[in-house]
Amino acid sequence: MFVLSNAWRALTRFKGRTALTAVITLAIAFGTVAGLSIVQEDNTAHGDTYESQQATMAIRPSAATWKKVSPTDSSTTKNYMTWATYTEYATVMQTAGISLDFMVTETVPARVSGDLKALEGGSLGSASDDETGGELLWRAFWTKDSAKTNDLGTYKIVDGKALNYDTSSDVDTTGALVSKAFADANGLKVGDKFKVATASDASKTVELEVRGIYEYTSEANALNPVAAARNRENTIYTNYPAFSNAGLDPQSSDTSAKAEGWDLPDLDVVFNLTSPSVYDQVVSTLKKSKLPAKGYTISSPSLDAYNESLEPLDTLASRAKTGVIVLLVAGGALLIALVMVGVWTSKRDDEIGMALACGVTRGRLGWQFMLETFFVVVPCYAIGVVGGAFAAKPLGQALSGGHATPVTSDLVWKMVWWGLGAIIVLAILAALRTIWFGVPKMFAADGDWGATSATTIDAAEHGSATITENTDDTNAEAKA
């Protein structure tokens, strides 16, 4: 009890230093566990989580090739990918034993017909329908997954039904989706019929029925200038059978070599691959066959989107890594300084000297100084770790664009062992103070022990005396 009570009294005598030690310990523990959780999540996101992603692969015109495509020049559609081109890639992949699962989207311009009117917008300017193929876009999705990769933006159905991708004989070949803005401008409701004219021939019309009305839920990311130049609210979405039934896919009848101008659809085929490692394997296989051809690139839209989503987390992790290092170095230095200052003051010299004179061993004094460190640092460190563990996830989500940064059990145990090790080192530094206290200091020419605070040595423990010192140096009382 002697050691415990003296350690506690020492802390209460130096309240400012004790409070500062507590605050710094809390800050180090909280900041370190929160920062390391962010760094850990970033490493996991680029490691195991990345490898678990389902990769897609697209072979598309390069940025330089897209610059050659003009929304007002039908001859520039020769830069589109065609089924003949894709067949070359598919053959190489099949030869290498890679199973093929792909999503297809086809797009052509279209013209308004009758009383139908297009919404203004886009960058077509005053170009005529003959130059542009019309202000509308007709896009066909082969599957539901194809619709999810829509580069004009994801959408939701606000009225009616989604497209039917059934390939049976009675499949819907007239159902179409129109935007709410387009429907409102033309007074269209679900079930209404309307006609559009083909891009290459204004006299050739196709009748469609409003199956559903949609609204966009994300921004557009279209690279094809023909699509990007139009107001995306003017886009009509159908399934592939409706597109083919209207005669808009000349490649379906092996006449793609003859198709040109606006008759040639913008074909986009995206392969579904099982993992990033398979994607890397496919890319390597195609490169050995000298593919892709000049003017085209291979990319993974899904992996590109995933990596893009990690950019806020990467930035946050970089800052967190630097912050943790600064926090540990600066905070650790301050804690060492506070501990050393606490045991090297002249008041502690008086206390050590008096205790030694009364028969207290250096070991017991060292243990007292260690307890002074433990009493403050251990509970504050524990509170900081627990607080940081609970705050790390919501804090990371708020600062990293929605990525969760939970604290794992592995990180918690590391914090426990690292923290205990650091605390023990601090306590040992405090205890070593008694070793460097020389006997001559006990007989320094101060005339007394100085104005120390009350120190009580239990006579039962030391078999000698009980000494009580008051803050007034002249009122020291000794009882034998």
Side-chain angles (χ1 to χ4, degrees):
M1 287 300 295
F2 159 75
V3 174
L4 292 174
S5 61
N6 275 4
W8 181 253
R9 280 198 294 270
L11 294 177
T12 57
R13 286 202 306 271
F14 306 105
K15 295 182 177 65
R17 188 174 67 243
T18 300
L20 185 57
T21 302
V23 170
I24 293 175
T25 303
L26 281 169
I28 291 175
F30 184 94
T32 300
V33 72
L36 289 181
S37 70
I38 293 171
V39 174
Q40 178 179 264
E41 176 60 25
D42 188 59
N43 292 335
T44 302
H46 286 282
D48 294 342
T49 305
Y50 176 82
E51 289 300 327
S52 68
Q53 299 296 308
Q54 181 173 354
T56 58
M57 186 187 76
I59 302 101
R60 292 168 173 166
S62 64
T65 302
W66 278 129
K67 289 182 179 179
K68 299 176 183 178
V69 177
S70 169
T72 58
D73 185 354
S74 61
S75 67
T76 60
T77 59
K78 62 185 178 183
N79 294 289
Y80 288 172
M81 295 292 287
T82 64
W83 277 116
T85 310
Y86 272 109
T87 299
E88 184 179 4
Y89 292 91
T91 300
V92 172
M93 294 168 64
Q94 286 177 323
T95 302
I98 300 169
S99 60
L100 299 181
D101 176 27
F102 51 86
M103 303 174 288
V104 181
T105 300
E106 296 189 69
T107 310
V108 293
R111 309 180 191 221
V112 294
S113 178
D115 295 331
L116 203 67
K117 59 182 178 181
L119 297 173
E120 295 182 357
S123 58
L124 294 178
S126 59
S128 66
D129 283 352
D130 289 336
E131 293 175 297
T132 64
E135 297 177 83
L136 308 180
L137 277 180
W138 185 331
R139 172 162 291 185
F141 298 122
W142 280 38
T143 63
K144 185 177 181 179
D145 288 337
S146 301
K148 293 179 181 178
T149 64
N150 186 27
D151 61 7
L152 289 173
T154 56
Y155 59 82
K156 64 179 180 180
I157 304 299
V158 295
D159 192 14
K161 300 178 181 179
L163 294 174
N164 180 5
Y165 300 101
D166 185 10
T167 57
S168 61
S169 58
D170 59 346
V171 64
D172 180 13
T173 59
T174 60
L177 303 181
V178 297
S179 71
K180 186 175 187 305
F182 184 83
D184 291 344
N186 289 280
L188 295 174
K189 301 183 298 295
V190 174
D192 287 349
K193 296 181 179 180
F194 64 98
K195 290 183 178 180
V196 295
T198 61
S200 58
D201 187 354
S203 63
K204 183 180 179 181
T205 61
V206 179
E207 185 175 74
L208 298 172
E209 181 178 334
V210 179
R211 179 180 175 86
I213 297 174
Y214 67 85
E215 284 185 343
Y216 287 106
T217 57
S218 69
E219 296 299 319
N221 188 31
L223 298 177
N224 185 349
V226 175
R230 287 163 169 76
N231 183 345
R232 63 176 181 163
E233 301 287 352
N234 287 328
T235 305
I236 299 168
Y237 296 112
T238 69
N239 57 18
Y240 176 74
F243 189 83
S244 179
N245 190 60
L248 299 178
D249 187 6
Q251 300 178 91
S252 63
S253 58
D254 297 326
T255 60
S256 59
K258 300 177 182 179
E260 58 183 5
W262 300 130
D263 285 335
L264 186 66
D266 174 20
L267 178 65
D268 186 44
V269 178
V270 178
F271 295 94
N272 285 315
L273 305 177
T274 55
S275 67
S277 58
V278 173
Y279 169 74
D280 293 337
Q281 175 192 349
V282 173
V283 171
S284 177
T285 300
L286 292 175
K287 284 184 177 179
K288 290 178 182 178
S289 301
K290 297 182 178 180
L291 295 173
K294 183 179 179 181
Y296 299 91
T297 59
I298 297 176
S299 64
S300 175
S302 65
L303 295 182
D304 289 346
Y306 175 76
N307 288 328
E308 184 178 352
S309 73
L310 293 182
E311 290 179 1
L313 180 61
D314 292 341
T315 301
L316 183 62
S318 177
R319 294 173 180 173
K321 191 179 299 182
T322 302
V324 168
I325 293 173
V326 171
L327 187 61
L328 290 176
V329 172
L334 285 173
L335 281 181
I336 292 174
L338 286 169
V339 169
M340 298 307 291
V341 166
V343 297
W344 281 92
T345 61
S346 60
K347 291 184 178 182
R348 303 315 292 268
D349 283 346
D350 295 341
E351 181 181 342
I352 295 171
M354 181 178 292
L356 291 176
C358 294
V360 180
T361 65
R362 292 179 187 267
R364 289 176 68 81
L365 280 174
W367 178 235
Q368 174 189 324
F369 287 178
M370 292 180 74
L371 286 177
E372 292 175 18
T373 302
F374 291 148
F375 283 170
V376 179
V377 177
V378 171
C380 290
Y381 184 80
I383 293 171
V385 170
V386 173
F390 279 104
K393 185 175 181 179
L395 189 64
Q397 282 182 320
L399 299 176
S400 65
H403 285 276
T405 54
V407 175
T408 62
S409 59
D410 181 59
L411 178 57
V412 170
W413 280 114
K414 285 180 179 178
M415 289 294 297
V416 169
W417 295 121
W418 292 347
L420 286 177
I423 292 169
I424 290 173
V425 169
L426 283 174
I428 291 173
L429 288 175
L432 290 176
R433 171 66 181 92
T434 61
I435 296 177
W436 284 301
F437 183 85
V439 173
K441 287 187 177 181
M442 296 172 61
F443 305 100
D446 290 334
D448 50 45
W449 292 111
T452 61
S453 55
T455 301
T456 302
I457 303 176
D458 194 317
E461 288 191 24
H462 303 291
S464 57
T466 299
I467 298 175
T468 304
E469 279 190 83
N470 296 320
T471 54
D472 185 350
D473 293 350
T474 63
N475 294 325
E477 178 182 0
K479 295 180 181 179

